[in-house]
């Protein structure tokens, strides 16, 4: 198996190179470049061009943000069901977990979850980064948005 098949703390962030490193920089550059004519020769046309350039950036941002929020809701549901299965009778403890904590827990193997949840509940770890660093046996998630 290639290294790409294994997920860990160092490679779990999802980047889509054409989107993140080509499309977004081009659109951001276009929006910034639209400001020059607006200030050099202010007119309705140059103002409209700048407005459209920034609206495109906003549209792209929201077109990415909305599916990520929907994905977060699905992750919360999946992890709550998983915790009910792995930690029966402890619902009051894990219902206090934040969305960020649940998102980080999704990478932990079933065997690790009880110990990590205990550490979260006790206050030994709390941030998403601390939880991700605590995971030793990663459950890969290759279907993220």
């Amino acid at each position: 198996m290639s290294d790409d098949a294994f997920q860990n703390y160092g490679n779990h962030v999802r980047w889509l190179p054409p989107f993140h490193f080509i499309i977004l920089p081009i659109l951001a550059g276009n929006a910034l470049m639209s400001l020059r004519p607006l200030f050099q020769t202010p007119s309705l046309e140059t103002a409209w061009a700048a407005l459209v350039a920034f609206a495109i950036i906003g549209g792209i941002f929201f077109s990415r943000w909305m599916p990520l929020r929907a994905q977060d809701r699905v992750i919360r549901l999946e992890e709550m069901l998983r915790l009910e299965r792995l930690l029966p009778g402890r619902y009051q403890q894990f219902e206090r977990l934040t969305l960020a904590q649940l998102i980080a827990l999704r990478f932990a193997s079933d065997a690790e979850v009880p110990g990590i949840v205990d550490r979260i509940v006790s206050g030994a770890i709390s941030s998403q980064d601390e939880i991700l660093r605590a995971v030793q046996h990663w459950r890969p998630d290759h279907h993220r948005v």
Side-chain angles (χ1 to χ4, degrees):
M1 262 180 136
S2 73
D3 288 340
D4 294 339
F6 298 102
Q7 212 167 54
N8 59 44
Y9 179 81
N11 70 8
H12 78 282
V13 174
R14 176 99 186 242
W15 293 102
L16 183 59
F19 178 76
H20 289 101
F21 304 119
I22 298 172
I23 294 169
L24 285 182
I26 289 171
L27 291 174
N30 180 62
L32 293 175
M33 288 176 62
S34 73
L35 295 175
R36 184 175 183 203
L38 177 62
F39 290 115
Q40 286 181 338
T41 55
S43 68
L44 183 59
E45 184 179 283
T46 57
W48 185 254
L51 184 65
V52 168
F54 281 93
I56 290 170
I57 291 283
I60 295 295
F61 171 78
F62 283 110
S63 71
R64 178 81 175 134
W65 181 77
M66 289 183 280
L68 288 174
R69 296 298 71 83
Q71 176 179 264
D72 289 350
R73 291 177 60 107
V74 171
I75 290 169
R76 181 178 57 215
L77 174 62
E78 288 176 341
E79 289 307 307
M80 292 300 278
L81 292 171
R82 181 176 177 219
L83 290 173
E84 285 179 7
R85 179 176 51 84
L86 296 174
L87 304 169
R90 292 179 55 186
Y91 183 79
Q92 290 173 339
Q93 285 183 329
F94 63 76
E95 76 173 342
R96 295 180 300 179
L97 300 179
T98 67
L99 178 59
Q101 291 169 331
L102 290 169
I103 289 170
L105 272 175
R106 83 181 192 271
F107 292 109
S109 67
D110 286 354
E112 289 180 293
V113 167
I116 293 175
V117 169
D118 288 341
R119 291 176 64 194
I120 295 169
V121 170
S122 74
I125 58 174
S126 62
S127 75
Q128 193 173 40
D129 189 64
E130 290 171 326
I131 296 165
L132 290 170
R133 289 180 183 277
V135 175
Q136 297 298 307
H137 303 285
W138 280 69
R139 245 180 46 166
D141 180 2
H142 297 294
H143 302 287
R144 293 173 289 159
V145 173

